[in-house]
Amino acid sequence: MGLTRDFFIMLSENQTLNAAAKRYGLALGANKVVAGVDIPSTIEAIKELNRKGISATVDNLGEFVFSKEEATKAKEEIIAMIEAIDHSGVKAHMSVKLTQIGLDVDQEFCYENIREILLAAHKHGNMHINMDTEDYNHTVQTFEILDRLKGEFKNVGTVIQAYLFRATDEIEKYKDVRLRLVKGAYKESPEVAYQTKEDIDENYIRLIEQRLLSAKAMTSIATHDHNIIDHVKKFINQHNLNKDLIEFQMLYGFRTELQEEIAKQGYQFCVYVPFGQDWYGYFVRRLAERPQNLQLVTKSIFTPQVNRNIAVGAGALAAVTAVAAFASKRRK
């Protein structure tokens, strides 16, 4: 995982590349992993998933929000999508990054924004709102806000990242809260997180089993790893667990045949559906989480011409980034 994972994470945090991706990315094929650039196109993509027995959790893409104006605009876009989901009748709910609605501006301002979103979701069918976790410092703040909200709202949940040491305690603490379990996709220090793939995978399975045996609310198991999926299926059957409180999740555009296969087997299945122009950071972190995803995309999604464009761009990008990283180290 090492250098490859760190490399992708470094790319995901580059604001210059993020800006360039907004201009050119969808033309290069990113539309295959982003459901739509606007609400109507995204609703149509969700309808297609629903026809296959798959629900959706919708993410309004956005990175690097550091002003109240940007955060307020993002909040309004999220509420507009909530209204569109309700009015269209599709089976979907929202996933929200707190940094997009002002966490880096002011925590109290962010709290008021997420509370407004939850009130709108409650008004529109008590729709579930998932607060996505991010890097460690933001994750700590997210759980602080969750603790304030969960007494007032029953339609709020969050994400547990298996690579964090604190995840075991959180699984125990939030038995009554809807949770999504993931491996994690940020670079964290050895003081707070496991560092090897083997340790993360082992803890991920341990957390899933702990959660499924104790949970009193929905559990979403978000992974593309078919070995882990098969393990969870066997665990569910061995313990005769209630499938109504368990769902599998994958990302839009990845392993679509496996998604449909699992849904046909009678398991609840939900696809993480991103929409909007600001796709870059989201996509590159998915590669950091599981670099094999790059092969899944280039083999099954992109055309030969797009692959040639990506190969050229990626080569230049890698060279520039490597030089920048080397220069940064030399300056320290």
Side-chain angles (χ1 to χ4, degrees):
M1 196 160 64
L3 291 176
T4 303
R5 181 172 181 272
D6 292 352
F7 175 74
F8 281 126
I9 291 172
M10 181 168 58
L11 295 185
S12 77
E13 296 171 348
N14 187 298
Q15 296 188 40
T16 300
L17 296 175
N18 183 65
K22 286 183 185 179
R23 292 194 297 271
Y24 306 117
L26 291 175
L28 292 177
N31 60 317
K32 300 300 183 181
V33 292
V34 175
V37 295
D38 54 26
I39 289 176
S41 58
T42 305
I43 291 295
E44 289 305 309
I46 296 170
K47 286 180 179 179
E48 182 60 29
L49 290 171
N50 287 176
R51 281 191 281 269
K52 298 172 182 177
I54 296 172
S55 65
T57 181
V58 184
D59 173 28
N60 178 34
L61 293 171
E63 301 281 335
F64 311 116
V65 175
F66 299 110
S67 73
K68 287 189 175 182
E69 292 75 17
E70 291 176 296
T72 299
K73 180 182 177 183
K75 176 194 68 178
E76 291 170 351
E77 291 171 347
I78 291 166
I79 291 174
M81 177 58 86
I82 289 170
E83 294 170 349
I85 289 171
D86 185 31
H87 294 157
S88 66
V90 296
K91 188 176 180 182
H93 65 271
M94 292 296 298
S95 288
V96 178
K97 296 181 296 298
L98 295 190
T99 54
Q100 192 186 37
I101 57 170
L103 190 58
D104 286 328
V105 179
D106 178 79
Q107 185 168 322
E108 189 63 26
F109 168 71
C110 177
Y111 170 78
E112 292 299 333
N113 280 339
I114 189 62
R115 188 175 180 278
E116 186 176 340
I117 289 168
L118 284 162
L119 287 170
H122 180 74
K123 177 182 176 182
H124 292 279
N126 200 31
M127 185 187 301
H128 179 67
I129 300 296
N130 194 82
M131 298 193 304
D132 288 358
T133 48
E134 303 176 68
D135 62 276
Y136 183 78
N137 289 332
H138 288 123
T139 294
V140 171
Q141 292 176 282
T142 298
F143 279 101
E144 290 172 353
I145 290 176
L146 174 63
D147 288 339
R148 295 178 64 184
L149 292 168
K150 65 185 180 69
E152 181 181 3
F153 296 97
K154 301 303 180 187
N155 61 324
V156 63
T158 193
V159 180
I160 302 295
Q161 300 173 97
Y163 66 175
L164 296 180
F165 298 145
R166 60 181 284 163
T168 301
D169 293 336
E170 288 163 351
I171 290 286
E172 188 66 24
K173 179 178 179 181
Y174 297 107
K175 291 180 181 178
D176 298 325
V177 175
R178 181 171 179 171
L179 297 177
R180 179 193 304 147
L181 275 54
V182 303
K183 293 183 184 181
Y186 291 82
K187 179 176 173 57
E188 304 293 355
S189 78
E191 283 72 36
V192 300
Y194 295 103
Q195 300 296 302
T196 69
K197 180 183 185 303
E198 293 73 20
D199 286 342
I200 294 170
D201 284 357
E202 182 180 337
N203 197 48
Y204 188 47
I205 291 173
R206 185 163 52 241
L207 290 172
I208 291 171
E209 294 180 351
Q210 178 187 351
R211 168 70 180 184
L212 294 185
L213 290 176
S214 64
K216 299 177 182 178
M218 174 68 77
T219 302
S220 301
I221 299 162
T223 180
H224 298 134
D225 190 328
H226 60 272
N227 292 318
I228 290 178
I229 291 169
D230 288 343
H231 177 90
V232 172
K233 288 178 183 177
K234 291 177 183 177
F235 189 81
I236 290 171
N237 292 328
Q238 287 171 356
H239 294 271
N240 195 29
L241 298 175
N242 183 2
K243 290 183 181 179
D244 291 340
L245 293 179
I246 303 166
E247 72 176 11
F248 291 100
Q249 279 192 16
M250 288 187 192
L251 303 173
Y252 183 83
F254 291 86
R255 306 204 73 169
T256 54
E257 292 182 1
L258 181 57
Q259 292 178 14
E260 294 173 24
E261 177 186 332
I262 294 171
K264 288 177 181 178
Q265 290 171 349
Y267 294 95
Q268 294 195 77
F269 202 96
C270 180
V271 167
Y272 192 94
V273 174
F275 82 100
Q277 295 279 357
D278 203 356
W279 61 274
Y280 172 78
Y282 154 82
F283 179 61
V284 178
R285 279 194 298 278
R286 301 293 73 79
L287 300 182
E289 188 173 34
R290 191 171 187 267
Q292 298 96 310
N293 284 342
L294 184 59
Q295 293 180 345
L296 292 176
V297 172
T298 56
K299 285 182 179 180
S300 64
I301 296 178
F302 294 150
T303 66
Q305 179 60 46
V306 168
N307 285 339
R308 284 194 291 273
N309 291 341
I310 288 175
V312 172
L317 192 59
V320 171
T321 306
V323 170
F326 178 74
S328 177
K329 289 181 180 179
R330 289 292 300 270
R331 286 196 298 268
K332 292 181 178 179

